[in-house]
Amino acid sequence: MILIIPEKNNPILPLTISVKEIKSIVNWFEHHQRSFYALGWSYLGNQGKIEELFYRAILQVHKELPKFKNSTSFEMWVLSIFIQVCRELPIDNSLKASEESIFHALQQLKEQEREMLVLTYIKGVSREEAAQLLQVSPEQIKELLFSGFQLLRKGLGNGECYQGCKEYQKLYMDYLERKLERPRKIDFEMHIYHCHNCQDDLASLQETILNFSETIETFNVPADFMENVKERVSQRENLLKQKKTKRKRIGLISASVLVLFICTGFFTGIFSKIYYSLTEENKELRVFLQEDLGERLGLEAKSNGVKIKIKSVIADEIQTLIFYEIEDTNDNNQYMINIDDGIFIEDEMKIMVANTYPMYIPPDMESDLNKKEKNIYHGKMSLRPVKENEATIQLNIKKVLKLKRNSSDSYVNMVPEEGDWKFDIPVTKKTSVEYALDEEVEIEGTAVLIDKLILAPTGTILQYGLKNEQPEKRIEMINFKNLEINNKVAEPDLYGNSYVHAQNDLRWSKFQAHFEPLFEKETNEVKVRFDSVYLSIVDNKTIDLNASKEYPQTFEYAGSTISIDKVEMGQSATVVFSNHEIKNRAYESLHYNIVTEEGDDSSMEMDHEGIIVDKNGKEYDMKKITPKIYEVMEQPRHFFTVQSTKIHGKKVTPKSLEIYGYSTTEYLNDEIELQTELIEAGT
């Protein structure tokens, strides 16, 4: 009997696994031995016991193989068996060696916390898959990851002195994994910018995560490990079938390499521009192909009537940009991929750069290409940059989103469609060029360092630094109108501003502004045009609160009359204040805290309502805005009209509203011209 395993896009997994022959299962474990060995070590801490673990797991997989169902991936099915065998073997608590200190600390965690860390960071499974394996709810996943890393940090001896704000600690994992929605992310980064406790706490936690990831990356399997395992199962192998299977697999791999070699070498030089102009309908991808920055892949996978095609991949130090096409073969629906939900990359922390975040790419339903056919969507997604110049991304997609429109052309109720699409995507990372600018200018009384220019295939980056020496006024972010390089204008990416986590010069807080790619490699100068700055103004005021009073009540602040609409006490106390008059208003949003009689032990949940106003005075409801409208607005400002806070605790009594200051936007019309100095080419 031969069982067909639906892993056609994964060359590591055998295309056929024999129920009668155990050799194919041994081969599969050998290909995956590194991640499974590290997983076993985190449980057992002893090589002899891990050999026993592999031996038992191989026998159990072979025994259960006829029961395997195609509704789940083969690897996840094997993993569930592997974990069960792990739990049956006793843990070795004798680890003392310094190089194994992280594994020793892991073994001191509770079972679910340890398993969540090793599954997501050692084995690389998605949160959803880990939750399914461990039978926990999605809400428990973040709690287990956060508490697990907190205890791991403590177990390593450096977690006692860090105390971040409880309400923001809940967001640490989502922030580090780029899962926060944009408004929440802005609020979080503004808080982190001002709160030294949270800065230290988050940095320490991130260092623990990075050390953990680096330990896993450098963790090696003993050279003779699998040989010892093979010896124990060799009597169950069939030598003739082993040689035949090996010859077939080598032939398949050789044929695949030959086809790839022919395809990559055929269309080069000047003919590629003509060829792709006639054959590639996606205009954006066409330019990349004509510039020889990528190649056609044509990888396909189909599940539940939905066919996904990976058309091409463009990779550099900024991101790994994947162009894809999704076809509904049964109906007239269009689907997109959401990188924050339903995708999983095998060994992501091993092959991709940690402490980086993919670029946000909203759906584009207005393009001519996506209006052409009702059942096909052409999209792109951004992943982290790969570490090496050559890599293979093993991408597993478990969910796509069905795009729906309402009468206002906004996207609502995007329905998830589950399936199983797997791809092995070959990646070649292209080079970038960095230029030093090192020019210090003054904006709104604050020193700004125009630091460096990065010319990369997928984008143009301007790195700048802020030296906020004025406590009463701080620049939080600069918005640029455009860059001009070699008489070419690069428009800004509205979703591309990012904080630089690796700060080499502590005098400056470094940021990166992203612009569209210009495909330039050399330049002597750059023109920088400013659009606006987002400011934080310090202006302290305290307003007493009393739930026994009748509300609303008003107070004056920053030239405006603000209404306190509600003050309620109890297990979930509430404070709501508002100001719907935005004309000539000095502030856009208030920075504040609610002080309670019980002190700082209570957690707070903040929310807001508001409108967006462009430079011409046109107003938009903040909750109804769509990416397409946002992209065409001219210099938008975000005014909060209602700000509310819920304070959770056993019994909470709001005492006062403490306002620290506010945020506002100032428009600019400045331009500077800078000379460039080459730092590094071909990075």
Side-chain angles (χ1 to χ4, degrees):
M1 173 183 176
I2 299 294
L3 181 66
I4 305 298
I5 305 299
E7 301 276 357
K8 64 180 181 179
N9 292 308
N10 188 341
I12 294 177
L13 186 65
L15 293 176
T16 61
I17 289 182
S18 173
V19 175
K20 293 183 178 180
E21 297 178 3
I22 201 170
K23 175 61 180 176
S24 55
I25 299 173
V26 175
N27 286 341
W28 190 91
F29 268 92
E30 184 173 18
H31 283 300
H32 293 76
Q33 62 176 303
R34 186 177 178 276
S35 61
F36 276 91
Y37 185 88
L39 180 60
W41 192 273
S42 68
Y43 277 86
L44 305 173
N46 178 287
Q47 182 174 335
K49 290 185 177 180
I50 299 174
E51 288 180 6
E52 178 68 21
L53 167 63
F54 268 66
Y55 176 70
R56 291 192 187 186
I58 289 170
L59 296 185
Q60 191 66 23
V61 168
H62 183 246
K63 179 181 177 181
E64 298 290 331
L65 189 57
K67 302 177 183 178
F68 171 71
K69 297 180 180 179
N70 293 353
S71 58
T72 184
S73 73
F74 182 77
E75 184 169 358
M76 291 301 296
W77 179 74
V78 172
L79 186 56
S80 66
I81 295 175
F82 193 85
I83 291 174
Q84 187 58 44
V85 178
C86 279
R87 292 170 176 171
E88 295 171 357
L89 295 172
I91 292 177
D92 187 345
N93 290 310
S94 61
L95 282 178
K96 300 295 183 184
S98 59
E99 66 270 16
E100 297 164 351
S101 59
I102 282 184
F103 289 100
H104 180 68
L106 264 178
Q107 291 169 9
Q108 312 312 309
L109 303 183
K110 295 178 181 178
E111 184 175 83
Q112 280 193 332
E113 290 169 335
R114 180 176 70 251
E115 289 178 341
M116 185 59 72
L117 293 190
V118 300
L119 285 175
T120 53
Y121 282 82
I122 292 181
K123 200 64 189 74
V125 306
S126 69
R127 286 185 179 184
E128 293 77 9
E129 290 170 326
Q132 184 178 358
L133 278 173
L134 302 182
Q135 296 298 301
V136 299
S137 67
E139 291 76 21
Q140 291 177 283
I141 299 175
K142 287 186 288 185
E143 296 176 10
L144 290 171
L145 285 173
F146 177 67
S147 62
F149 274 121
Q150 268 194 321
L151 293 173
L152 185 65
R153 178 176 64 180
K154 185 177 179 180
L156 294 172
N158 60 351
E160 297 288 350
C161 57
Y162 297 102
Q163 296 294 331
C165 301
K166 291 183 179 179
E167 62 267 30
Y168 285 95
Q169 282 181 330
K170 299 176 183 178
L171 306 177
Y172 284 178
M173 298 309 300
D174 278 345
Y175 178 72
L176 292 175
E177 295 182 9
R178 196 188 167 275
K179 295 182 181 294
L180 281 182
E181 294 182 357
R182 185 172 176 81
R184 199 72 171 121
K185 178 175 178 288
I186 293 173
D187 174 70
F188 179 87
E189 290 182 339
M190 288 176 61
H191 173 80
I192 289 290
Y193 191 76
H194 295 284
C195 180
H196 294 294
N197 286 339
C198 283
Q199 286 179 16
D200 295 340
D201 191 27
L202 180 61
S204 172
L205 190 72
Q206 187 177 25
E207 183 180 2
T208 300
I209 295 173
L210 291 175
N211 287 341
F212 182 63
S213 301
E214 289 171 1
T215 299
I216 302 308
E217 289 177 15
T218 57
F219 191 75
N220 294 316
V221 181
D224 60 347
F225 172 74
M226 277 306 296
E227 294 303 317
N228 295 338
V229 175
K230 284 181 179 180
E231 231 174 278
R232 297 191 62 182
V233 296
S234 61
Q235 60 183 352
R236 309 181 63 159
E237 295 177 2
N238 185 309
L239 295 178
L240 292 176
K241 288 188 177 182
Q242 175 192 16
K243 292 178 181 179
K244 184 178 180 181
T245 302
K246 187 175 181 181
R247 284 197 298 269
K248 285 183 178 180
R249 296 187 71 255
I250 292 174
L252 286 172
I253 294 172
S254 300
S256 300
V257 172
L258 180 61
V259 170
L260 183 63
F261 173 77
I262 293 173
C263 290
T264 54
F266 188 76
F267 293 108
T268 57
I270 191 169
F271 296 102
S272 65
K273 292 186 181 294
I274 301 173
Y275 174 76
Y276 289 122
S277 67
L278 296 174
T279 60
E280 180 51 59
E281 56 183 348
N282 187 320
K283 295 179 181 179
E284 184 179 4
L285 174 57
R286 182 194 306 161
V287 176
F288 284 114
L289 297 176
Q290 289 176 331
E291 294 289 337
D292 196 26
L293 296 173
E295 60 189 43
R296 280 184 170 153
L297 297 177
L299 304 174
E300 291 186 8
K302 186 176 180 180
S303 180
N304 297 332
V306 177
K307 182 168 66 176
I308 300 179
K309 179 187 293 185
I310 304 298
K311 299 188 67 175
S312 188
V313 57
I314 318 296
D316 55 21
E317 283 78 21
I318 299 175
Q319 62 182 324
T320 302
L321 189 61
I322 295 178
F323 287 85
Y324 65 86
E325 177 185 303
I326 303 182
E327 179 184 357
D328 184 354
T329 62
N330 296 332
D331 205 345
N332 285 329
N333 296 310
Q334 290 182 307
Y335 296 91
M336 66 166 287
I337 298 172
N338 179 10
I339 66 166
D340 294 324
D341 185 18
I343 77 165
F344 156 66
I345 299 170
E346 177 80 22
D347 292 328
E348 181 176 7
M349 302 308 293
K350 175 184 175 182
I351 67 171
M352 292 184 157
V353 180
N355 201 23
T356 59
Y357 302 96
M359 303 289 288
Y360 171 68
I361 302 175
D364 184 9
M365 295 296 293
E366 299 303 314
S367 70
D368 294 337
L369 196 56
N370 282 328
K371 289 180 177 179
K372 187 176 180 180
E373 296 177 271
K374 293 182 179 180
N375 67 324
I376 298 179
Y377 177 77
H378 300 261
K380 59 182 178 179
M381 59 180 166
S382 172
L383 304 178
R384 303 173 194 264
V386 294
K387 292 181 179 179
E388 305 298 332
N389 291 333
E390 301 286 340
T392 298
I393 298 176
Q394 294 177 308
L395 179 66
N396 185 359
I397 302 171
K398 291 290 188 181
K399 188 186 301 182
V400 292
L401 293 179
K402 183 189 297 184
L403 292 166
K404 283 190 173 184
R405 287 185 179 183
N406 61 13
S407 57
S408 63
D409 271 352
S410 61
Y411 304 105
V412 296
N413 301 323
M414 289 194 287
V415 180
E417 179 77 26
E418 295 185 352
D420 192 12
W421 302 268
K422 291 183 174 66
F423 300 94
D424 276 0
I425 306 175
V427 177
T428 300
K429 186 166 66 173
K430 301 298 183 178
T431 58
S432 305
V433 183
E434 290 190 11
Y435 289 94
L437 301 175
D438 198 26
E439 182 78 15
E440 189 172 329
V441 298
E442 185 177 290
I443 298 176
E444 290 293 315
T446 298
V448 176
L449 174 68
I450 308 300
D451 188 23
K452 65 181 178 181
L453 175 71
I454 303 173
L455 302 179
T458 69
T460 306
I461 293 180
L462 182 70
Q463 182 163 303
Y464 65 95
L466 300 176
K467 185 189 289 184
N468 289 293
E469 295 179 336
Q470 291 179 281
E472 69 280 0
K473 180 189 288 187
R474 300 168 63 92
I475 294 180
E476 302 289 355
M477 185 184 296
I478 299 176
N479 295 313
F480 296 88
K481 186 176 182 181
N482 57 47
L483 298 181
E484 185 175 329
I485 300 169
N486 297 342
N487 296 319
K488 294 182 179 180
V489 174
E491 299 296 334
D493 180 350
L494 296 179
Y495 312 101
N497 277 311
S498 59
Y499 178 75
V500 179
H501 291 272
Q503 301 282 347
N504 298 323
D505 188 344
L506 297 180
R507 296 174 302 167
W508 301 93
S509 295
K510 299 288 183 66
F511 298 85
Q512 289 186 340
H514 293 247
F515 301 79
E516 64 184 356
L518 293 178
F519 309 112
E520 294 291 316
K521 295 182 179 179
E522 297 182 2
T523 185
N524 296 319
E525 64 182 27
V526 56
K527 292 180 181 178
V528 181
R529 299 186 178 100
F530 298 90
D531 187 72
S532 63
V533 288
Y534 190 63
L535 302 169
S536 282
I537 309 297
V538 176
D539 186 2
N540 294 293
K541 187 180 182 70
T542 300
I543 300 95
D544 293 332
L545 302 175
N546 188 338
S548 63
K549 289 184 178 180
E550 186 176 341
Y551 288 91
Q553 295 191 15
T554 62
F555 65 92
E556 300 297 317
Y557 180 79
S560 294
T561 300
I562 300 173
S563 171
I564 301 179
D565 300 326
K566 182 189 295 185
V567 177
E568 295 178 347
M569 60 181 292
Q571 287 189 344
S572 180
T574 303
V575 177
V576 180
F577 55 90
S578 63
N579 179 10
H580 295 273
E581 179 58 52
I582 63 169
K583 188 175 182 180
N584 300 322
R585 200 171 90 178
Y587 73 92
E588 293 173 18
S589 62
L590 298 181
H591 306 160
Y592 69 95
N593 183 41
I594 305 297
V595 179
T596 66
E597 293 185 0
E598 292 73 28
D600 296 330
D601 292 334
S602 303
S603 64
M604 295 187 183
E605 179 182 342
M606 297 181 177
D607 198 4
H608 64 268
E609 299 175 12
I611 59 174
I612 298 177
V613 182
D614 67 13
K615 192 175 183 180
N616 300 316
K618 186 175 181 179
E619 298 181 4
Y620 303 83
D621 188 328
M622 194 178 291
K623 291 186 176 180
K624 296 181 180 179
I625 201 73
T626 65
K628 201 66 180 178
I629 296 175
Y630 190 80
E631 289 170 8
V632 300
M633 282 192 293
E634 185 178 358
Q635 296 178 312
R637 298 181 68 184
H638 301 69
F639 286 92
F640 287 12
T641 55
V642 179
Q643 292 183 254
S644 60
T645 302
K646 282 188 177 181
I647 310 103
H648 302 287
K650 293 182 178 179
K651 185 178 180 182
V652 183
T653 305
K655 181 180 178 182
S656 62
L657 167 63
E658 290 192 353
I659 300 177
Y660 307 130
Y662 58 87
S663 297
T664 189
T665 299
E666 293 290 341
Y667 295 125
L668 304 175
N669 192 27
D670 301 301
E671 176 183 314
I672 57 174
E673 187 172 325
L674 305 174
Q675 300 298 310
T676 62
E677 178 182 346
L678 182 65
I679 301 176
E680 189 172 4
T683 58

